[in-house]
Amino acid sequence: MRPNLLLLGGIAALACSTPAKAEPETQAIVDALFKAGGNQPNVRGSGAKGVCVTGSFTPSAEAQGLSKAPHFSRAPEKPLPVTARFSMGGSNPKVSDKAKPVTRGFSMRINHSAGDMVFVFISAPVFGSKTPQQLLDFASVRAPGPDGKPDAEKIKAFGVANPETTRQAAWLNARPVPASYAGVDYWGVHAYTLTDAAGKATVAKLKTVATAGQLGLTDDEAKAKPDAFYADELTARLAQGPATFDLVAILGEPGDPTQDPTVLWPEENRKSVKLGTLAIAALAPAATCDAATFDPVVDLPAGVAGPADDPMFAIRSPAYAISLSRRSN
């Protein structure tokens, strides 16, 4: 069974504030993520394989009704610049683009003179673990053995003992391999709090909806593709015009869990509000995305806050910092 590590939500490109008593040690988590991917040098702990892109963000008229963040109040005729990165989950830069149970990632930095707004999204509505300890155990059990492969029986036993860690892979396996980074939806699996100018707070999960729709490959189509086709597909697609996504907020209701990102909110029974449109226009050199960490914990403006009760959100920032240091040295 192939390690699925951006189910780890993109847990690794990740700046600062380590909790006073982080259990388990954040370093151990990052080390386990790298080990599961074969300890490749100079790569991210997750999202090792990817492409950097640039584009713009235009807020919707409804966005200000949910959040006072300046990114949602700019005039439509003046879109904000965006630096983003599409990626494959895990720390192996040679992972196949055809791998079904691996999340695709969409990290974005929306620039504003008042400060940036950063989100890290994945192509599944749930995360792969609910606590740092479970993440460490999940990654550790997938470490390759002497034959270069993880122990399938250990992985199976871990899933039986930790059923919440199987939800993401089950969701991905029930759907086709995406035909394009631009043809799949992406979720911010954590619950955010959006606060408007009057102080009204709304709990929501954020999602990008691909304008192109859900573009999937049949099994035969996937077999015919090379292991690395996403970058070329995206290059050809962008030559015809921008790839666009709606950024939407799925509004929570009383009882919706905010502390466990492995639990699915029933979107079909939740109201959603369009916050704006992301237009991805061009590929950019890798150095453009490597210049600064996509840290969704630190880089949030007033009016947008991550969950205070979700340990998997809090661990991102220190884990990203360690991963960045490792690939930079």
Side-chain angles (χ1 to χ4, degrees), residues 207-301:
K207 176 183 180 180
T208 62
V209 179
T211 304
Q214 306 307 294
L215 307 179
L217 299 173
T218 66
D219 289 346
D220 287 341
E221 288 172 336
K223 289 178 183 178
K225 293 284 187 181
D227 285 323
F229 70 92
Y230 278 150
D232 289 343
E233 193 282 337
L234 191 59
T235 298
R237 180 178 294 273
L238 296 183
Q240 304 300 315
T244 58
F245 298 82
D246 288 338
L247 176 63
V248 302
I250 302 163
L251 308 188
E253 294 186 357
D256 285 339
T258 59
Q259 79 286 358
D260 186 352
T262 70
V263 176
L264 179 68
W265 283 14
E267 291 182 29
E268 65 278 7
N269 297 324
R270 298 292 179 269
K271 179 182 178 182
S272 63
V273 176
K274 180 178 175 180
L275 299 176
T277 300
L278 289 152
I280 303 303
L283 269 67
T288 301
C289 287
D290 292 344
T293 299
F294 290 97
D295 190 328
V297 180
V298 173
D299 293 324
L300 287 178

Side-chain angles (χ1 to χ4, degrees), residues 14-27:
L14 296 195
C16 346
S17 57
T18 305
K21 294 183 180 179
E23 289 293 344
E25 185 182 4
T26 308
Q27 181 71 56

Side-chain angles (χ1 to χ4, degrees), residues 62-81:
E62 297 80 20
Q64 291 182 72
L66 283 179
S67 174
K68 64 183 179 182
H71 308 71
F72 296 132
S73 62
R74 195 173 176 90
E77 66 272 13
K78 296 181 179 179
L80 294 170

